[in-house]
Protein backbone atom coordinates (compact mmCIF):
# COMPACT_ATOMS: atom_id res chain seq x y z
CA UNK A 1 0.00 0.00 0.00
CA UNK A 2 1.32 3.41 -0.99
CA UNK A 3 0.86 6.48 1.18
CA UNK A 4 0.55 10.18 0.37
CA UNK A 5 3.58 10.96 2.52
CA UNK A 6 5.46 8.27 0.66
CA UNK A 7 4.71 9.88 -2.70
CA UNK A 8 5.65 13.28 -1.27
CA UNK A 9 8.95 11.87 -0.05
CA UNK A 10 9.61 10.32 -3.45
CA UNK A 11 8.90 13.55 -5.34
CA UNK A 12 10.90 15.75 -2.96
CA UNK A 13 13.95 13.49 -3.21
CA UNK A 14 13.64 13.42 -7.00
CA UNK A 15 13.46 17.23 -7.18
CA UNK A 16 16.52 17.68 -4.96
CA UNK A 17 18.72 15.36 -7.03
CA UNK A 18 17.46 16.19 -10.53
CA UNK A 19 17.23 19.98 -10.31
CA UNK A 20 20.93 20.60 -11.17
CA UNK A 21 20.79 17.86 -13.80
CA UNK A 22 17.78 19.41 -15.54
CA UNK A 23 19.28 22.90 -15.36
CA UNK A 24 22.49 21.75 -17.07
CA UNK A 25 20.43 19.91 -19.68
CA UNK A 26 18.28 22.97 -20.41
CA UNK A 27 21.15 25.48 -20.63
CA UNK A 28 23.92 23.31 -22.11
CA UNK A 29 23.08 19.83 -23.41
CA UNK A 30 19.83 20.76 -25.17
CA UNK A 31 21.51 23.57 -27.11
CA UNK A 32 22.75 21.29 -29.89
CA UNK A 33 21.88 17.99 -31.51
CA UNK A 34 25.49 16.82 -31.34
CA UNK A 35 25.61 17.50 -27.61
CA UNK A 36 22.52 15.37 -27.05
CA UNK A 37 24.05 12.54 -29.06
CA UNK A 38 27.33 12.86 -27.15
CA UNK A 39 25.42 12.72 -23.86
CA UNK A 40 23.80 9.45 -24.95
CA UNK A 41 27.22 8.10 -25.82
CA UNK A 42 28.54 9.19 -22.43
CA UNK A 43 25.73 7.33 -20.65
CA UNK A 44 26.58 4.23 -22.67
CA UNK A 45 30.21 4.49 -21.59
CA UNK A 46 29.15 4.81 -17.93
CA UNK A 47 27.11 1.62 -18.30
CA UNK A 48 30.16 -0.13 -19.73
CA UNK A 49 32.11 1.01 -16.68
CA UNK A 50 29.49 -0.42 -14.32
CA UNK A 51 29.46 -3.71 -16.22
CA UNK A 52 33.23 -3.81 -15.86
CA UNK A 53 32.90 -3.17 -12.11
CA UNK A 54 30.34 -5.96 -11.87
CA UNK A 55 32.58 -8.38 -13.74
CA UNK A 56 35.57 -7.56 -11.52
CA UNK A 57 33.42 -7.97 -8.40
CA UNK A 58 32.25 -11.40 -9.50
CA UNK A 59 35.86 -12.47 -9.98
CA UNK A 60 36.89 -11.11 -6.58
CA UNK A 61 34.06 -12.96 -4.84
CA UNK A 62 35.64 -16.21 -5.98
CA UNK A 63 38.41 -15.55 -3.47
CA UNK A 64 38.06 -15.98 0.31
CA UNK A 65 36.12 -13.23 2.07
CA UNK A 66 39.17 -11.87 3.86
CA UNK A 67 40.63 -10.86 0.48
CA UNK A 68 37.51 -8.97 -0.57
CA UNK A 69 36.71 -5.73 1.22
CA UNK A 70 35.27 -2.30 0.55
CA UNK A 71 38.81 -0.90 0.50
CA UNK A 72 39.43 -2.97 -2.63
CA UNK A 73 36.04 -2.63 -4.31
CA UNK A 74 35.91 1.18 -4.15
CA UNK A 75 39.29 1.87 -5.85
CA UNK A 76 38.56 -0.73 -8.53
CA UNK A 77 35.10 0.74 -9.16
CA UNK A 78 36.41 4.29 -9.42
CA UNK A 79 39.28 3.16 -11.66
CA UNK A 80 36.77 1.47 -13.99
CA UNK A 81 34.60 4.59 -14.27
CA UNK A 82 37.60 6.85 -14.84
CA UNK A 83 38.94 4.42 -17.43
CA UNK A 84 35.76 4.64 -19.51
CA UNK A 85 35.82 8.43 -19.11
CA UNK A 86 39.27 8.45 -20.70
CA UNK A 87 38.11 6.04 -23.44
CA UNK A 88 35.22 8.42 -24.17
CA UNK A 89 37.76 11.21 -24.60
CA UNK A 90 39.89 9.08 -26.96
CA UNK A 91 36.90 8.16 -29.12
CA UNK A 92 35.72 11.75 -29.34
CA UNK A 93 39.24 13.06 -29.95
CA UNK A 94 39.76 10.65 -32.85
CA UNK A 95 36.40 11.55 -34.37
CA UNK A 96 37.33 15.24 -34.05
CA UNK A 97 40.83 14.76 -35.50
CA UNK A 98 39.66 12.73 -38.47
CA UNK A 99 37.16 15.40 -39.47
CA UNK A 100 34.01 13.40 -38.97
CA UNK A 101 32.03 16.63 -38.58
CA UNK A 102 30.60 17.91 -41.86
CA UNK A 103 30.54 21.52 -40.76
CA UNK A 104 33.66 22.78 -38.99
CA UNK A 105 31.69 25.53 -37.27
CA UNK A 106 29.30 22.97 -35.79
CA UNK A 107 32.01 21.20 -33.81
CA UNK A 108 31.25 21.39 -30.10
CA UNK A 109 33.95 23.06 -28.05
CA UNK A 110 36.08 21.04 -25.65
CA UNK A 111 34.51 22.86 -22.73
CA UNK A 112 30.97 21.97 -23.84
CA UNK A 113 31.94 18.36 -24.46
CA UNK A 114 33.51 18.12 -21.00
CA UNK A 115 30.27 19.39 -19.43
CA UNK A 116 28.18 17.00 -21.50
CA UNK A 117 30.41 14.09 -20.57
CA UNK A 118 30.10 14.87 -16.87
CA UNK A 119 26.36 15.38 -17.25
CA UNK A 120 25.88 12.02 -18.94
CA UNK A 121 27.70 10.24 -16.10
CA UNK A 122 25.71 12.21 -13.51
CA UNK A 123 22.24 11.50 -14.90
CA UNK A 124 22.96 7.82 -15.53
CA UNK A 125 24.34 7.35 -12.04
CA UNK A 126 21.37 9.16 -10.51
CA UNK A 127 18.84 7.17 -12.55
CA UNK A 128 20.26 3.73 -11.92
CA UNK A 129 21.82 4.04 -8.47
CA UNK A 130 19.33 6.37 -6.78
CA UNK A 131 15.96 6.69 -8.53
CA UNK A 132 15.49 2.92 -8.74
CA UNK A 133 15.89 2.77 -4.95
CA UNK A 134 13.53 5.71 -4.36
CA UNK A 135 10.54 3.81 -5.75
CA UNK A 136 10.47 1.90 -2.46
CA UNK A 137 10.16 5.18 -0.54
CA UNK A 138 6.46 5.49 -1.39
CA UNK A 139 5.65 3.40 1.65
CA UNK A 140 4.03 2.21 3.67
CA UNK A 141 6.88 1.41 6.09
CA UNK A 142 9.59 3.79 7.32
CA UNK A 143 13.08 2.46 6.67
CA UNK A 144 15.60 4.14 8.99
CA UNK A 145 19.15 4.75 7.83
CA UNK A 146 22.12 3.22 9.65
CA UNK A 147 23.66 5.67 12.07
CA UNK A 148 20.66 8.05 12.01
CA UNK A 149 17.42 6.32 13.05
CA UNK A 150 15.44 9.55 12.62
CA UNK A 151 16.51 9.86 8.97
CA UNK A 152 15.10 7.51 6.35
CA UNK A 153 17.42 5.49 4.17
CA UNK A 154 16.02 7.27 1.11
CA UNK A 155 16.73 10.72 2.53
CA UNK A 156 20.29 9.66 3.30
CA UNK A 157 20.61 8.31 -0.24
CA UNK A 158 19.49 11.68 -1.58
CA UNK A 159 21.94 13.59 0.60
CA UNK A 160 24.76 11.34 -0.62
CA UNK A 161 23.67 11.34 -4.26
CA UNK A 162 23.39 15.12 -4.65
CA UNK A 163 27.13 15.79 -4.00
CA UNK A 164 27.95 12.83 -6.26
CA UNK A 165 25.86 14.30 -9.09
CA UNK A 166 27.38 17.76 -8.68
CA UNK A 167 30.89 16.30 -8.58
CA UNK A 168 30.28 14.24 -11.72
CA UNK A 169 29.27 17.43 -13.52
CA UNK A 170 32.64 18.92 -12.54
CA UNK A 171 34.77 15.80 -12.93
CA UNK A 172 34.30 15.95 -16.69
CA UNK A 173 35.62 19.53 -16.85
CA UNK A 174 38.64 18.75 -14.67
CA UNK A 175 39.50 15.47 -16.39
CA UNK A 176 39.25 16.97 -19.88
CA UNK A 177 41.57 19.75 -18.79
CA UNK A 178 44.15 17.08 -18.00
CA UNK A 179 43.53 15.22 -21.26
CA UNK A 180 43.80 18.35 -23.40
CA UNK A 181 46.89 19.80 -21.73
CA UNK A 182 48.46 16.37 -21.18
CA UNK A 183 48.93 17.06 -17.46
CA UNK A 184 48.49 14.44 -14.74
CA UNK A 185 47.39 16.64 -11.84
CA UNK A 186 43.76 17.21 -12.95
CA UNK A 187 43.32 13.52 -13.78
CA UNK A 188 44.82 12.50 -10.43
CA UNK A 189 42.58 14.99 -8.64
CA UNK A 190 39.48 13.51 -10.27
CA UNK A 191 40.49 9.97 -9.35
CA UNK A 192 41.24 10.82 -5.72
CA UNK A 193 38.17 13.03 -5.27
CA UNK A 194 36.00 10.37 -6.89
CA UNK A 195 37.44 7.67 -4.63
CA UNK A 196 37.00 9.73 -1.44
CA UNK A 197 33.46 10.64 -2.51
CA UNK A 198 32.60 6.97 -3.03
CA UNK A 199 34.16 6.11 0.31
CA UNK A 200 32.25 8.86 2.12
CA UNK A 201 28.96 7.08 1.46
CA UNK A 202 30.14 4.12 3.57
CA UNK A 203 30.79 6.31 6.62
CA UNK A 204 27.11 6.13 7.59
CA UNK A 205 27.52 2.46 8.45
CA UNK A 206 30.96 2.76 10.03
CA UNK A 207 30.42 5.97 12.04
CA UNK A 208 27.39 8.19 11.44
CA UNK A 209 25.30 9.43 8.56
CA UNK A 210 26.07 13.02 9.54
CA UNK A 211 29.76 12.41 8.94
CA UNK A 212 28.93 10.79 5.60
CA UNK A 213 26.89 13.77 4.42
CA UNK A 214 29.39 16.37 5.65
CA UNK A 215 32.28 14.54 4.00
CA UNK A 216 30.43 14.46 0.69
CA UNK A 217 29.64 18.17 0.89
CA UNK A 218 33.27 19.07 1.70
CA UNK A 219 34.60 16.97 -1.19
CA UNK A 220 32.07 18.57 -3.55
CA UNK A 221 33.01 22.06 -2.32
CA UNK A 222 36.72 21.37 -2.84
CA UNK A 223 36.00 20.05 -6.32
CA UNK A 224 34.01 23.21 -7.13
CA UNK A 225 36.88 25.45 -6.02
CA UNK A 226 39.37 23.49 -8.11
CA UNK A 227 37.05 23.53 -11.14
CA UNK A 228 36.54 27.30 -10.94
CA UNK A 229 40.29 27.86 -10.70
CA UNK A 230 40.92 25.69 -13.76
CA UNK A 231 38.25 27.37 -15.85
CA UNK A 232 39.33 30.86 -14.80
CA UNK A 233 42.96 30.11 -15.62
CA UNK A 234 42.02 28.58 -18.97
CA UNK A 235 39.91 31.59 -19.89
CA UNK A 236 42.79 33.95 -19.14
CA UNK A 237 45.21 31.98 -21.32
CA UNK A 238 42.97 30.98 -24.19
CA UNK A 239 39.30 30.94 -24.96
CA UNK A 240 38.14 27.46 -23.99
CA UNK A 241 35.65 27.51 -26.82
CA UNK A 242 38.40 27.62 -29.44
CA UNK A 243 40.84 25.29 -27.71
CA UNK A 244 42.24 22.77 -30.16
CA UNK A 245 42.39 19.12 -29.27
CA UNK A 246 45.67 17.26 -29.04
CA UNK A 247 46.35 13.73 -30.18
Amino acid sequence: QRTEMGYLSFLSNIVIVYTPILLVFAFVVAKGNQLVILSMGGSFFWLIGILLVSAISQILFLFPNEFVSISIIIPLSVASIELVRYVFWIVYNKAYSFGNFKDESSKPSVFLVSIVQGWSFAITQAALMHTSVLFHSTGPAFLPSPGCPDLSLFQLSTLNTLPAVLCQLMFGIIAFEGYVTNTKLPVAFVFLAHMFLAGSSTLSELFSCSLSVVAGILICAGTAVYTLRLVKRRMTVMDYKTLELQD
Side-chain angles (χ1 to χ4, degrees):
Q1 182 181 358
R2 310 297 183 182
T3 64
E4 292 183 1
M5 288 301 296
Y7 285 116
L8 180 61
S9 174
F10 173 79
L11 292 176
S12 61
N13 288 323
I14 285 290
V15 169
I16 291 173
V17 171
Y18 279 92
T19 294
I21 293 177
L22 293 177
L23 287 175
V24 173
F25 177 81
F27 290 102
V28 179
V29 181
K31 294 299 183 180
N33 296 334
Q34 292 183 18
L35 298 179
V36 175
I37 295 173
L38 287 171
S39 68
M40 296 171 62
S43 296
F44 177 74
F45 274 84
W46 189 90
L47 292 174
I48 293 177
I50 290 300
L51 290 176
L52 183 59
V53 172
S54 178
I56 294 175
S57 300
Q58 293 300 318
I59 296 175
L60 289 177
F61 287 139
L62 297 177
F63 294 92
N65 292 335
E66 56 266 22
F67 292 102
V68 182
S69 65
I70 197 69
S71 60
I72 296 178
I73 297 296
I74 288 179
L76 288 176
S77 301
V78 172
S80 299
I81 296 300
E82 295 308 321
L83 175 63
V84 296
R85 193 194 306 274
Y86 181 63
V87 173
F88 176 90
W89 156 258
I90 292 177
V91 172
Y92 175 75
N93 193 13
K94 292 301 181 183
Y96 201 127
S97 302
F98 292 154
N100 291 341
F101 294 87
K102 294 181 179 180
D103 185 5
E104 291 290 326
S105 62
S106 67
K107 291 180 180 179
S109 68
V110 178
F111 186 52
L112 286 178
V113 174
S114 67
I115 296 176
V116 169
Q117 188 279 316
W119 181 88
S120 64
F121 276 31
I123 189 173
T124 313
Q125 178 177 340
L128 296 184
M129 311 296 278
H130 179 62
T131 306
S132 58
V133 177
L134 280 183
F135 281 109
H136 299 285
S137 69
T138 53
F142 176 83
L143 185 60
S145 60
C148 292
D150 296 332
L151 191 67
S152 75
L153 181 64
F154 311 108
Q155 292 171 329
L156 178 61
S157 177
T158 297
L159 294 175
N160 285 330
T161 302
L162 181 59
V165 165
L166 295 175
C167 280
Q168 282 292 2
L169 292 172
M170 294 180 286
F171 283 163
I173 298 175
I174 300 173
F176 271 51
E177 169 71 14
Y179 303 154
V180 169
T181 59
N182 196 25
T183 54
K184 297 179 181 179
L185 180 59
V187 179
F189 178 90
V190 169
F191 179 81
L192 292 176
H194 196 172
M195 188 167 64
F196 286 131
L197 185 64
S200 67
S201 61
T202 65
L203 296 178
S204 59
E205 298 181 7
L206 299 176
F207 300 100
S208 69
C209 61
S210 300
L211 182 60
S212 173
V213 173
V214 171
I217 293 174
L218 291 177
I219 293 170
C220 189
T223 303
V225 171
Y226 187 68
T227 303
L228 291 174
R229 290 185 61 184
L230 281 181
V231 174
K232 183 179 179 181
R233 184 176 62 185
R234 176 57 59 188
M235 291 299 183
T236 58
V237 175
M238 180 185 300
D239 186 0
Y240 219 147
K241 295 182 178 181
T242 60
L243 185 62
E244 293 294 334
L245 295 176
Q246 299 177 358
D247 293 331

